[in-house]
Amino acid sequence: MSQQELTNKEQPAKELETAEHSDPISNGKGKKQGESEIKASSQIVTAESVQAEEVPTIPLGSLQTLSTLQPEVSVHSVEASEAVSTPAPLVAQPAEYRRSVSEWSRILWEGMRPRYLILSIMPFLLGSVLALVHLLSLRGPLGLGQWHPQRFLVGLLAVVLLQLGANLINDYYDYLRGIDTSNTLGPGKLIQQGLIKPTHVLAFGLVLLAGGSLLGLLLALAAGWPLLLFGLLGLLAAYFYSATRRALSSLMLGLPVAFCIYGPLITAGAYYLQQAQLNGQVLLYSLMPGLLATAFVHVNDMRDVEDDAQAGKRTLANTLGLGLNRTLFLALLGGAYLVLLIIGLPHHAPHLALIALWTLPTLVVVVSGIVRTDLASGLHLVLRETLKLEAWFIALLVVGLLLSAILPILPQVPSLALP
């Protein structure tokens, strides 16, 4: 290479170096401006429509490099090399929770409203005791041998199964028609609480009705076919009281049906189970549990009057006003005590039956409660007191009847024990 060419190549470098040393201020500004322009051109894009907004972008060369490399995806197992144990959660999720047999039994038992069994047990007990009193009055202590405890137990179980089945069926059809969905005072409501599927409630209720019907059929074979009529009427009432859209309780027939079932039907059926016959005295006694049970059903309808009206359920309680409802309730209670006085006051009557008047303090509580309240919570308390009133009333009445029959024959007992 000639000396002249080397001189030409070194000349621009010297000029550049001379310019850098000669004007440092301007050179620094130019350098910074050039770097900022390069950085802005390579990293951001300024949109004309959106001024002063910088949008970061990915250089096109990087994307081309990634597409050229085509990295492979490797799959590795995430299984732990050692066993890992987690503690049991303090609160189990609903899907993971499994109830025990005892828990299921308790839930079902509470859902079947066992407290309301008083409505059917007490008239059955009264009818059975009336049959025993009749036997003791006719044959003395020997009449006890003609009373059938096996029939009593089987008949009581049949009545209990029928009522429990009716309660479950009532819950199912109330759920279908939207009745008592917002009522938190009443018992039961297995479906509304999400504890059991609706079809399971219906199936279990039908099983209980079938069991009660089967026992009733066996009793009819032992005591007489007329008893089959009592059982058939009870079965139809237990199902159609709340079943279907034309349920008896929705046609303002709930009170008459309750009076007939929990009064004459069960009382007379229990008496016929022991005696295979009926008389007018039994029908007179059956009025008392029937009236008390009807009062209970009526105050229950008074408590649920708003919910029933919203669901389209027609009852006598949501047809009458509050004043007439109170009057009807007091008339039903007064009618039961009037029948008691008619039975116990005459000269040759069983006067010890009047010990049922010991329930007058409870009656005062019930009457004052129904007069002083118009709230659902207050009526619920009246309902509970009414149930207690019926239980004690019939229990004391039964005790009085037994004492009236046993005391006259006590002198005959020692003679029977002699050889």
Side-chain angles (χ1 to χ4, degrees), residues 181-207:
T181 54
S182 60
N183 183 9
T184 59
L185 297 174
K189 298 177 179 59
L190 296 175
I191 305 174
Q192 288 84 346
Q193 298 178 27
L195 299 174
I196 302 179
K197 294 181 180 180
T199 53
H200 293 173
V201 173
L202 177 62
F204 195 58
L206 293 176
V207 168

PDB file of all heavy atoms in Angstrom, residues 181-207:
ATOM      1  N   THR A 181     -91.661 -22.429  53.142  1.00  0.00           N
ATOM      2  CA  THR A 181     -90.256 -22.307  52.747  1.00  0.00           C
ATOM      3  C   THR A 181     -89.519 -21.277  53.594  1.00  0.00           C
ATOM      4  O   THR A 181     -88.318 -21.403  53.840  1.00  0.00           O
ATOM      5  CB  THR A 181     -90.160 -21.907  51.271  1.00  0.00           C
ATOM      6  OG1 THR A 181     -90.950 -20.715  51.051  1.00  0.00           O
ATOM      7  CG2 THR A 181     -90.681 -23.018  50.387  1.00  0.00           C
ATOM      8  N   SER A 182     -90.218 -20.239  54.054  1.00  0.00           N
ATOM      9  CA  SER A 182     -89.591 -19.205  54.876  1.00  0.00           C
ATOM     10  C   SER A 182     -89.962 -19.317  56.339  1.00  0.00           C
ATOM     11  O   SER A 182     -89.614 -18.442  57.133  1.00  0.00           O
ATOM     12  CB  SER A 182     -89.992 -17.814  54.355  1.00  0.00           C
ATOM     13  OG  SER A 182     -91.399 -17.636  54.401  1.00  0.00           O
ATOM     14  N   ASN A 183     -90.669 -20.366  56.713  1.00  0.00           N
ATOM     15  CA  ASN A 183     -91.098 -20.539  58.098  1.00  0.00           C
ATOM     16  C   ASN A 183     -90.021 -21.299  58.858  1.00  0.00           C
ATOM     17  O   ASN A 183     -89.738 -22.453  58.569  1.00  0.00           O
ATOM     18  CB  ASN A 183     -92.427 -21.289  58.153  1.00  0.00           C
ATOM     19  CG  ASN A 183     -92.960 -21.425  59.566  1.00  0.00           C
ATOM     20  OD1 ASN A 183     -92.446 -20.826  60.504  1.00  0.00           O
ATOM     21  ND2 ASN A 183     -94.003 -22.213  59.721  1.00  0.00           N
ATOM     22  N   THR A 184     -89.429 -20.648  59.834  1.00  0.00           N
ATOM     23  CA  THR A 184     -88.358 -21.271  60.619  1.00  0.00           C
ATOM     24  C   THR A 184     -88.846 -21.797  61.962  1.00  0.00           C
ATOM     25  O   THR A 184     -88.042 -22.331  62.731  1.00  0.00           O
ATOM     26  CB  THR A 184     -87.237 -20.257  60.878  1.00  0.00           C
ATOM     27  OG1 THR A 184     -87.782 -19.122  61.583  1.00  0.00           O
ATOM     28  CG2 THR A 184     -86.633 -19.780  59.570  1.00  0.00           C
ATOM     29  N   LEU A 185     -90.134 -21.664  62.253  1.00  0.00           N
ATOM     30  CA  LEU A 185     -90.647 -22.058  63.557  1.00  0.00           C
ATOM     31  C   LEU A 185     -91.101 -23.505  63.597  1.00  0.00           C
ATOM     32  O   LEU A 185     -91.002 -24.172  64.614  1.00  0.00           O
ATOM     33  CB  LEU A 185     -91.805 -21.138  63.972  1.00  0.00           C
ATOM     34  CG  LEU A 185     -91.442 -19.664  64.155  1.00  0.00           C
ATOM     35  CD1 LEU A 185     -92.698 -18.849  64.421  1.00  0.00           C
ATOM     36  CD2 LEU A 185     -90.446 -19.496  65.285  1.00  0.00           C
ATOM     37  N   GLY A 186     -91.628 -23.985  62.500  1.00  0.00           N
ATOM     38  CA  GLY A 186     -92.162 -25.338  62.484  1.00  0.00           C
ATOM     39  C   GLY A 186     -91.060 -26.389  62.425  1.00  0.00           C
ATOM     40  O   GLY A 186     -89.948 -26.128  61.963  1.00  0.00           O
ATOM     41  N   PRO A 187     -91.355 -27.603  62.887  1.00  0.00           N
ATOM     42  CA  PRO A 187     -90.376 -28.679  62.820  1.00  0.00           C
ATOM     43  C   PRO A 187     -90.337 -29.313  61.438  1.00  0.00           C
ATOM     44  O   PRO A 187     -91.031 -28.884  60.516  1.00  0.00           O
ATOM     45  CB  PRO A 187     -90.893 -29.665  63.868  1.00  0.00           C
ATOM     46  CG  PRO A 187     -92.368 -29.464  63.839  1.00  0.00           C
ATOM     47  CD  PRO A 187     -92.599 -28.002  63.540  1.00  0.00           C
ATOM     48  N   GLY A 188     -89.556 -30.377  61.337  1.00  0.00           N
ATOM     49  CA  GLY A 188     -89.476 -31.087  60.060  1.00  0.00           C
ATOM     50  C   GLY A 188     -88.605 -30.341  59.065  1.00  0.00           C
ATOM     51  O   GLY A 188     -87.477 -29.978  59.328  1.00  0.00           O
ATOM     52  N   LYS A 189     -89.117 -30.162  57.844  1.00  0.00           N
ATOM     53  CA  LYS A 189     -88.440 -29.425  56.783  1.00  0.00           C
ATOM     54  C   LYS A 189     -87.082 -30.035  56.439  1.00  0.00           C
ATOM     55  O   LYS A 189     -86.068 -29.358  56.333  1.00  0.00           O
ATOM     56  CB  LYS A 189     -88.287 -27.949  57.158  1.00  0.00           C
ATOM     57  CG  LYS A 189     -89.624 -27.254  57.356  1.00  0.00           C
ATOM     58  CD  LYS A 189     -89.441 -25.836  57.802  1.00  0.00           C
ATOM     59  CE  LYS A 189     -90.798 -25.157  57.960  1.00  0.00           C
ATOM     60  NZ  LYS A 189     -91.640 -25.858  58.933  1.00  0.00           N
ATOM     61  N   LEU A 190     -87.064 -31.340  56.274  1.00  0.00           N
ATOM     62  CA  LEU A 190     -85.829 -32.004  55.882  1.00  0.00           C
ATOM     63  C   LEU A 190     -85.382 -31.564  54.497  1.00  0.00           C
ATOM     64  O   LEU A 190     -84.191 -31.407  54.241  1.00  0.00           O
ATOM     65  CB  LEU A 190     -86.028 -33.522  55.905  1.00  0.00           C
ATOM     66  CG  LEU A 190     -86.329 -34.156  57.271  1.00  0.00           C
ATOM     67  CD1 LEU A 190     -86.628 -35.632  57.104  1.00  0.00           C
ATOM     68  CD2 LEU A 190     -85.178 -33.954  58.226  1.00  0.00           C
ATOM     69  N   ILE A 191     -86.356 -31.352  53.608  1.00  0.00           N
ATOM     70  CA  ILE A 191     -86.023 -30.970  52.240  1.00  0.00           C
ATOM     71  C   ILE A 191     -85.587 -29.516  52.188  1.00  0.00           C
ATOM     72  O   ILE A 191     -84.609 -29.162  51.523  1.00  0.00           O
ATOM     73  CB  ILE A 191     -87.232 -31.211  51.312  1.00  0.00           C
ATOM     74  CG1 ILE A 191     -87.702 -32.655  51.425  1.00  0.00           C
ATOM     75  CG2 ILE A 191     -86.884 -30.870  49.878  1.00  0.00           C
ATOM     76  CD1 ILE A 191     -88.973 -32.943  50.660  1.00  0.00           C
ATOM     77  N   GLN A 192     -86.322 -28.631  52.872  1.00  0.00           N
ATOM     78  CA  GLN A 192     -86.012 -27.215  52.833  1.00  0.00           C
ATOM     79  C   GLN A 192     -84.616 -26.929  53.377  1.00  0.00           C
ATOM     80  O   GLN A 192     -83.963 -25.991  52.936  1.00  0.00           O
ATOM     81  CB  GLN A 192     -87.058 -26.420  53.623  1.00  0.00           C
ATOM     82  CG  GLN A 192     -88.414 -26.327  52.944  1.00  0.00           C
ATOM     83  CD  GLN A 192     -89.284 -27.546  53.204  1.00  0.00           C
ATOM     84  OE1 GLN A 192     -88.806 -28.571  53.670  1.00  0.00           O
ATOM     85  NE2 GLN A 192     -90.571 -27.453  52.903  1.00  0.00           N
ATOM     86  N   GLN A 193     -84.139 -27.729  54.318  1.00  0.00           N
ATOM     87  CA  GLN A 193     -82.808 -27.542  54.875  1.00  0.00           C
ATOM     88  C   GLN A 193     -81.721 -28.223  54.055  1.00  0.00           C
ATOM     89  O   GLN A 193     -80.543 -28.106  54.379  1.00  0.00           O
ATOM     90  CB  GLN A 193     -82.768 -28.085  56.308  1.00  0.00           C
ATOM     91  CG  GLN A 193     -83.718 -27.365  57.250  1.00  0.00           C
ATOM     92  CD  GLN A 193     -83.684 -27.953  58.649  1.00  0.00           C
ATOM     93  OE1 GLN A 193     -82.681 -28.513  59.081  1.00  0.00           O
ATOM     94  NE2 GLN A 193     -84.772 -27.823  59.373  1.00  0.00           N
ATOM     95  N   GLY A 194     -82.104 -28.924  52.998  1.00  0.00           N
ATOM     96  CA  GLY A 194     -81.125 -29.591  52.158  1.00  0.00           C
ATOM     97  C   GLY A 194     -80.492 -30.806  52.786  1.00  0.00           C
ATOM     98  O   GLY A 194     -79.395 -31.216  52.392  1.00  0.00           O
ATOM     99  N   LEU A 195     -81.174 -31.426  53.748  1.00  0.00           N
ATOM    100  CA  LEU A 195     -80.604 -32.590  54.431  1.00  0.00           C
ATOM    101  C   LEU A 195     -80.831 -33.882  53.655  1.00  0.00           C
ATOM    102  O   LEU A 195     -79.978 -34.765  53.654  1.00  0.00           O
ATOM    103  CB  LEU A 195     -81.206 -32.706  55.837  1.00  0.00           C
ATOM    104  CG  LEU A 195     -80.944 -31.515  56.772  1.00  0.00           C
ATOM    105  CD1 LEU A 195     -81.705 -31.695  58.077  1.00  0.00           C
ATOM    106  CD2 LEU A 195     -79.457 -31.369  57.040  1.00  0.00           C
ATOM    107  N   ILE A 196     -81.996 -34.006  53.022  1.00  0.00           N
ATOM    108  CA  ILE A 196     -82.365 -35.234  52.317  1.00  0.00           C
ATOM    109  C   ILE A 196     -83.009 -34.848  50.995  1.00  0.00           C
ATOM    110  O   ILE A 196     -83.705 -33.822  50.895  1.00  0.00           O
ATOM    111  CB  ILE A 196     -83.344 -36.092  53.159  1.00  0.00           C
ATOM    112  CG1 ILE A 196     -82.717 -36.435  54.515  1.00  0.00           C
ATOM    113  CG2 ILE A 196     -83.699 -37.381  52.447  1.00  0.00           C
ATOM    114  CD1 ILE A 196     -83.625 -37.248  55.413  1.00  0.00           C
ATOM    115  N   LYS A 197     -82.813 -35.666  49.986  1.00  0.00           N
ATOM    116  CA  LYS A 197     -83.440 -35.422  48.699  1.00  0.00           C
ATOM    117  C   LYS A 197     -84.959 -35.581  48.798  1.00  0.00           C
ATOM    118  O   LYS A 197     -85.455 -36.406  49.574  1.00  0.00           O
ATOM    119  CB  LYS A 197     -82.895 -36.397  47.654  1.00  0.00           C
ATOM    120  CG  LYS A 197     -81.421 -36.190  47.336  1.00  0.00           C
ATOM    121  CD  LYS A 197     -80.959 -37.173  46.275  1.00  0.00           C
ATOM    122  CE  LYS A 197     -79.490 -36.952  45.955  1.00  0.00           C
ATOM    123  NZ  LYS A 197     -79.006 -37.904  44.916  1.00  0.00           N
ATOM    124  N   PRO A 198     -85.716 -34.791  48.036  1.00  0.00           N
ATOM    125  CA  PRO A 198     -87.183 -34.861  48.119  1.00  0.00           C
ATOM    126  C   PRO A 198     -87.741 -36.250  47.844  1.00  0.00           C
ATOM    127  O   PRO A 198     -88.662 -36.709  48.535  1.00  0.00           O
ATOM    128  CB  PRO A 198     -87.638 -33.846  47.071  1.00  0.00           C
ATOM    129  CG  PRO A 198     -86.504 -32.896  46.940  1.00  0.00           C
ATOM    130  CD  PRO A 198     -85.263 -33.703  47.157  1.00  0.00           C
ATOM    131  N   THR A 199     -87.199 -36.936  46.852  1.00  0.00           N
ATOM    132  CA  THR A 199     -87.718 -38.264  46.524  1.00  0.00           C
ATOM    133  C   THR A 199     -87.473 -39.265  47.651  1.00  0.00           C
ATOM    134  O   THR A 199     -88.281 -40.169  47.861  1.00  0.00           O
ATOM    135  CB  THR A 199     -87.077 -38.773  45.230  1.00  0.00           C
ATOM    136  OG1 THR A 199     -85.641 -38.698  45.351  1.00  0.00           O
ATOM    137  CG2 THR A 199     -87.510 -37.918  44.044  1.00  0.00           C
ATOM    138  N   HIS A 200     -86.381 -39.078  48.381  1.00  0.00           N
ATOM    139  CA  HIS A 200     -86.104 -39.970  49.505  1.00  0.00           C
ATOM    140  C   HIS A 200     -87.105 -39.753  50.635  1.00  0.00           C
ATOM    141  O   HIS A 200     -87.531 -40.709  51.295  1.00  0.00           O
ATOM    142  CB  HIS A 200     -84.685 -39.748  50.017  1.00  0.00           C
ATOM    143  CG  HIS A 200     -83.628 -40.167  49.047  1.00  0.00           C
ATOM    144  ND1 HIS A 200     -82.279 -39.936  49.238  1.00  0.00           N
ATOM    145  CD2 HIS A 200     -83.720 -40.811  47.849  1.00  0.00           C
ATOM    146  CE1 HIS A 200     -81.587 -40.424  48.228  1.00  0.00           C
ATOM    147  NE2 HIS A 200     -82.439 -40.960  47.364  1.00  0.00           N
ATOM    148  N   VAL A 201     -87.484 -38.502  50.857  1.00  0.00           N
ATOM    149  CA  VAL A 201     -88.488 -38.210  51.882  1.00  0.00           C
ATOM    150  C   VAL A 201     -89.828 -38.846  51.514  1.00  0.00           C
ATOM    151  O   VAL A 201     -90.499 -39.462  52.348  1.00  0.00           O
ATOM    152  CB  VAL A 201     -88.630 -36.691  52.074  1.00  0.00           C
ATOM    153  CG1 VAL A 201     -89.786 -36.358  53.016  1.00  0.00           C
ATOM    154  CG2 VAL A 201     -87.340 -36.107  52.621  1.00  0.00           C
ATOM    155  N   LEU A 202     -90.217 -38.695  50.258  1.00  0.00           N
ATOM    156  CA  LEU A 202     -91.475 -39.292  49.812  1.00  0.00           C
ATOM    157  C   LEU A 202     -91.427 -40.810  49.928  1.00  0.00           C
ATOM    158  O   LEU A 202     -92.393 -41.441  50.398  1.00  0.00           O
ATOM    159  CB  LEU A 202     -91.764 -38.869  48.371  1.00  0.00           C
ATOM    160  CG  LEU A 202     -93.011 -39.480  47.727  1.00  0.00           C
ATOM    161  CD1 LEU A 202     -94.270 -39.062  48.473  1.00  0.00           C
ATOM    162  CD2 LEU A 202     -93.099 -39.102  46.254  1.00  0.00           C
ATOM    163  N   ALA A 203     -90.334 -41.420  49.497  1.00  0.00           N
ATOM    164  CA  ALA A 203     -90.223 -42.877  49.546  1.00  0.00           C
ATOM    165  C   ALA A 203     -90.279 -43.394  50.982  1.00  0.00           C
ATOM    166  O   ALA A 203     -90.968 -44.377  51.271  1.00  0.00           O
ATOM    167  CB  ALA A 203     -88.926 -43.323  48.871  1.00  0.00           C
ATOM    168  N   PHE A 204     -89.597 -42.712  51.880  1.00  0.00           N
ATOM    169  CA  PHE A 204     -89.594 -43.154  53.269  1.00  0.00           C
ATOM    170  C   PHE A 204     -90.971 -42.972  53.892  1.00  0.00           C
ATOM    171  O   PHE A 204     -91.420 -43.810  54.691  1.00  0.00           O
ATOM    172  CB  PHE A 204     -88.545 -42.372  54.056  1.00  0.00           C
ATOM    173  CG  PHE A 204     -88.218 -42.982  55.384  1.00  0.00           C
ATOM    174  CD1 PHE A 204     -87.742 -44.275  55.483  1.00  0.00           C
ATOM    175  CD2 PHE A 204     -88.386 -42.260  56.551  1.00  0.00           C
ATOM    176  CE1 PHE A 204     -87.438 -44.843  56.707  1.00  0.00           C
ATOM    177  CE2 PHE A 204     -88.094 -42.814  57.782  1.00  0.00           C
ATOM    178  CZ  PHE A 204     -87.616 -44.105  57.858  1.00  0.00           C
ATOM    179  N   GLY A 205     -91.655 -41.891  53.535  1.00  0.00           N
ATOM    180  CA  GLY A 205     -93.008 -41.698  54.038  1.00  0.00           C
ATOM    181  C   GLY A 205     -93.965 -42.778  53.550  1.00  0.00           C
ATOM    182  O   GLY A 205     -94.802 -43.269  54.315  1.00  0.00           O
ATOM    183  N   LEU A 206     -93.840 -43.163  52.290  1.00  0.00           N
ATOM    184  CA  LEU A 206     -94.697 -44.217  51.753  1.00  0.00           C
ATOM    185  C   LEU A 206     -94.392 -45.560  52.406  1.00  0.00           C
ATOM    186  O   LEU A 206     -95.301 -46.374  52.628  1.00  0.00           O
ATOM    187  CB  LEU A 206     -94.518 -44.315  50.241  1.00  0.00           C
ATOM    188  CG  LEU A 206     -95.020 -43.117  49.425  1.00  0.00           C
ATOM    189  CD1 LEU A 206     -94.688 -43.292  47.952  1.00  0.00           C
ATOM    190  CD2 LEU A 206     -96.529 -42.929  49.616  1.00  0.00           C
ATOM    191  N   VAL A 207     -93.114 -45.799  52.726  1.00  0.00           N
ATOM    192  CA  VAL A 207     -92.762 -47.042  53.416  1.00  0.00           C
ATOM    193  C   VAL A 207     -93.410 -47.099  54.797  1.00  0.00           C
ATOM    194  O   VAL A 207     -93.938 -48.146  55.220  1.00  0.00           O
ATOM    195  CB  VAL A 207     -91.227 -47.174  53.514  1.00  0.00           C
ATOM    196  CG1 VAL A 207     -90.834 -48.301  54.467  1.00  0.00           C
ATOM    197  CG2 VAL A 207     -90.628 -47.422  52.139  1.00  0.00           C
TER     198      VAL A 207
END
